[in-house]
Amino acid sequence: MSTYGIDLGTTYSCIARLDANGNPEVIRNNEDDSNMVASVVFFENEHSVVVGQAAKENIETDGDRVVQFVKREIGKPDNRVYEFDGKTYTPVEISALILTRLKNLVESQGGTIENVVITVPAYFGLEERSATKQAGELAGLNVLSLINEPTAAALSYCARQFQEDRTILVYDLGGGTFDVTVVQMTMTQNDSGNDVQKINVLATGGDDRLGGKDWDDKLFDYILHACCDENGLTPADIEAETRQDIRSKVEEAKRKLSKKQSTKVRIDVNGSRTEVSVKRTDFESMTSDLVAKTMNFVEATLEKVPSAVIDTVLLVGGSTYMPMITDAVEKKFPGKVQQHDPDQAVAKGAAIYASMLVIEENSVGKGEISSEHGNGAPVEHAEQLTAKFDVEDQTPRSFGPGVIDTKGNKQKYVLENFIKIGEKMPAVFSKTYYPLENNQERVRLRAFEDMSTEDTIIPCVDEDGNPQATDPAHAVKLLGELVVNLPPETSRDTPIKVTFKVDASGVHVEAVNTITNEIFETFLRTGSEIDVEKSAVHQLRISAD
Ligand code: ADP
Ligand code: MG
């Protein structure tokens, strides 16, 4: 039995397990001399697919055969596919190639890998989650569970420092995304009376188009212009090979500037060697707007939880190695900032969680605990570390039906959020509605998903099924509809009880005609083919007369 945690990142991925003492450790990628595997795939030819740093080396020269940032595409409704050498690949299949590379890393070092927990951003909807799980299965892994990245980061921080009730802000600046999450850790007692830590996500925010890549791009432009100035050229004169040379060196230069005040980059500019010197202060001034942008997202996320008092800020993600980030966050939260292996915290937390699940399964399923755990870690060590945590599975979105509000002088089609983002799963909620009219033949009950925590919002289609302007911040998505047939001569006072049940696999919608006791039900998941008939008036209304 070999259990691992995987951080399947937008730009870098990482795999970890518990060592013989029950402490999390990452599996080193010796080939790239790194703790990470770049989440980049190069389709070299029909016989060769390269994953990792070597694939990255081809971005400028062979960009059309390189796939990066695939995490932004996974589980998205546009079903994007990539085509190389006559074969097509879905984002799930590309992600599976990255996961296979991580699996090979373990196997090449003599390990076996079976059970894994894969991390996902807290804001991923159900479809992104199920697509991630599918990618794991395609790579031949047994995916025990998924865990939210900030929750995993909090787990790995707490493993080193067991804390009391805390409200933690996780500032995760990776390569292509910036995520802010407020998580709450509370001490409770489990069924056996032992103290456990519960970790709940209170609010999420950020930008899935902001990350270390933006810092690289600024540095790339700076070096490119310096090369032009030095050689009396314009950017249009710079050859693709030179661009690739700069591209390959900017990230390393950026990393050096995290440690040193200045660095030199040597570039072969169209055949002539040019040395460009970059000072940290220059790098900081050319990217100060990016830092400010992240802090604005921090403010906006805090506004979602006005009563929260932040006790600790955890810096996560490789880009938080940049001193300008630590400085900006420290300025906002003096004395509260913690940073330890920011690029590994998520994978390590996933490894801890994976071990927790295996121990639980062994003790519940077989009535005994096996003597070996993970990579041979004595089970009591792993238990000491993991017994203290209890991670609740939470709803990644809010869910509810579209119904007619007849109150006031104008009837309105509204979305009633039955189940709110962040509720414990499985989450269940019921409410009774009424047909809009007497003798209504049927009801088209539409189910929606959104990011709002409000009770009622405007859905993305109106009662006739026509698109409607919604606040994009609420990301309202139509999941599908349940058709409820009503018997002839149904009165508009007939109570119809509507129930939503949400668990990790999707949304179960049920409607019961409480007079005939006839039950109608459907199972919906985000991203599935939506077949919704446009039809006026076949709706339910909120209040009885
Ligand atoms: P992901 O976004 O895939 O979760 P990571 O959290 O590993 O990725 O962050 C990757 C980003 O961190 C990349 O842009 C990388 O260049 C950057 N990074 C890693 N180490 C450093 C460092 N020492 N200084 C500055 N940036 C770094
Ligand atoms: Mg990450």
Side-chain angles (χ1 to χ4, degrees), residues 255-267:
R255 287 175 198 246
K256 283 189 179 150
L257 287 172
S258 295
K259 289 207 193 97
K260 304 193 296 174
Q261 294 295 332
S262 70
T263 188
K264 289 197 176 74
V265 188
R266 285 177 197 88
I267 307 289

Side-chain angles (χ1 to χ4, degrees), residues 55-64 66 217 220 240-248:
K56 254 187 122 165
E57 309 288 311
N58 298 280
I59 291 172
E60 293 291 327
T61 46
D62 261 319
D64 54 350
V66 176
D217 289 348
F220 179 92
E241 284 71 21
T242 302
R243 285 175 181 270
Q244 180 62 53
D245 196 22
I246 302 175
R247 182 61 68 193
S248 306

Side-chain angles (χ1 to χ4, degrees), residues 428-484:
V428 188
F429 189 87
S430 303
K431 187 169 174 181
T432 300
Y433 296 109
Y434 305 88
L436 193 59
E437 293 170 350
N438 283 323
N439 305 322
Q440 191 169 317
E441 284 170 20
R442 70 187 74 88
V443 172
R444 298 198 172 276
L445 182 69
R446 300 202 176 98
F448 295 91
E449 166 188 278
D450 65 278
M451 292 288 278
S452 166
T453 49
E454 276 155 46
D455 293 336
T456 313
I457 57 169
I458 306 294
C460 53
V461 292
D462 67 12
E463 60 198 277
D464 299 335
N466 299 314
Q468 204 168 355
T470 35
D471 176 359
H474 289 150
V476 184
K477 198 157 145 189
L478 177 62
L479 294 176
E481 70 177 13
L482 170 67
V483 177
V484 181

Side-chain angles (χ1 to χ4, degrees), residues 7-10 12 71 119 149 172-175 177 179 316-318 346:
D7 171 5
L8 181 60
T10 312
Y12 285 91
K71 187 169 172 176
T119 65
E149 284 159 12
D172 181 352
L173 186 61
T177 53
D179 302 319
V316 177
V346 170

Side-chain angles (χ1 to χ4, degrees), residues 305-491:
V305 274
S307 59
V309 178
I310 304 298
D311 300 304
T312 305
V313 178
L314 304 184
L315 293 183
V316 177
S319 297
T320 65
Y321 278 119
M322 293 188 288
M324 65 178 102
I325 299 297
T326 14
D327 293 349
V329 182
E330 185 64 44
K331 199 167 157 211
K332 164 94 183 139
F333 301 97
K336 295 182 173 172
V337 181
Q338 289 202 28
Q339 185 190 39
H340 306 278
D341 302 331
D343 47 355
Q344 301 169 24
V346 170
K348 287 180 175 176
I352 295 172
Y353 186 52
S355 305
M356 263 166 72
L357 294 177
V358 168
I359 289 168
E360 216 171 88
E361 191 171 289
N362 281 347
S363 52
V364 174
K366 305 191 186 83
E368 60 181 42
I369 294 173
S370 70
S371 60
E372 285 255 311
H373 171 71
N375 185 43
V379 77
E380 60 273 20
H381 286 297
E383 271 209 311
Q384 272 169 19
L385 188 65
T386 58
K388 299 169 183 165
F389 302 104
D390 181 5
V391 181
E392 265 179 12
D393 224 358
Q394 296 172 336
T395 49
R397 292 281 193 278
S398 299
F399 299 90
V403 288
I404 305 274
D405 182 356
T406 48
K407 276 205 221 84
N409 46 13
K410 202 169 163 233
Q411 78 177 34
K412 277 186 304 193
Y413 186 63
V414 295
L415 190 180
E416 290 212 300
N417 269 328
F418 269 18
I419 289 163
K420 303 257 176 71
I421 185 165
E423 278 181 32
K424 188 177 172 181
M425 290 204 285
V428 188
F429 189 87
S430 303
K431 187 169 174 181
T432 300
Y433 296 109
Y434 305 88
L436 193 59
E437 293 170 350
N438 283 323
N439 305 322
Q440 191 169 317
E441 284 170 20
R442 70 187 74 88
V443 172
R444 298 198 172 276
L445 182 69
R446 300 202 176 98
F448 295 91
E449 166 188 278
D450 65 278
M451 292 288 278
S452 166
T453 49
E454 276 155 46
D455 293 336
T456 313
I457 57 169
I458 306 294
C460 53
V461 292
D462 67 12
E463 60 198 277
D464 299 335
N466 299 314
Q468 204 168 355
T470 35
D471 176 359
H474 289 150
V476 184
K477 198 157 145 189
L478 177 62
L479 294 176
E481 70 177 13
L482 170 67
V483 177
V484 181
N485 292 318
L486 300 174
E489 291 167 34
T490 294
S491 126

